[in-house]
Amino acid sequence: MLSVTELRRASDQEIAKLQSLLDQDTENSVRSVRNGSDFLGETVFAILHGGEYAGFCTYRGAADEIFPLVVFNQYRRKGIGFAAMQQLINLLKAHQVQEVGIEVLPGAELFWKSVFAGFPEKEHFGGSKFTYTIQ
């Protein structure tokens, strides 16, 4: 049976579960699901794969920015993060978002280049932040 990747808005209970899983993922540099930035209009999305929590991402509506994206260690390098980001891009496009920004952590450059392949790009801050036109 093929496992499906699903991206969905996380409930408060899911955010607590994701934080618990993040706390156990010691190889990850991100340490918090929520950054306490309510003024940025944060929406946390749970990433599920085969019904299991595989990670999360945060979309900051006030800045039209995706940060962070976290895929838990045992789910990395399986196309799960890519599938989740394709779903998020489609969701943002459906909500008429014109551009989206990302902050690229060291080692994730090729991943983000593949996610936004074909979209016009603007580089900011010496290669760590980018804006992509998605409409």
Side-chain angles (χ1 to χ4, degrees), residues 64-80:
D64 288 326
E65 178 181 54
I66 301 168
F67 187 80
L69 164 64
V70 171
V71 177
F72 299 131
N73 192 40
Q74 67 268 31
Y75 295 100
R76 290 187 191 133
R77 301 201 181 339
K78 297 179 180 179
I80 295 166

Side-chain angles (χ1 to χ4, degrees), residues 117-130:
F119 292 105
E121 170 188 277
K122 294 179 209 163
E123 183 178 335
H124 309 280
F125 304 109
S128 66
K129 290 192 176 195
F130 298 87

Side-chain angles (χ1 to χ4, degrees), residues 4 12 15 22 25 31 36 50 70 72 75 88 97 100-101 105 117:
V4 176
D12 288 340
I15 290 170
L22 180 61
D25 189 2
R31 297 307 334 141
V70 171
F72 299 131
Y75 295 100
L88 182 57
V97 173
V100 64
L105 297 177

Side-chain angles (χ1 to χ4, degrees), residues 26-48:
T26 57
E27 293 182 27
N28 202 302
S29 63
V30 175
R31 297 307 334 141
S32 180
V33 173
R34 284 208 156 283
N35 292 314
S37 301
D38 291 334
F39 68 94
L40 291 176
E42 286 187 342
T43 302
V44 176
F45 291 92
I47 301 170
L48 292 97

Side-chain angles (χ1 to χ4, degrees), residues 98-118:
Q98 301 290 315
E99 291 185 332
V100 64
I102 59 167
E103 182 174 341
V104 179
L105 297 177
E109 298 87 354
L110 291 177
F111 168 78
W112 285 110
K113 291 286 185 191
S114 70
V115 166
F116 286 103

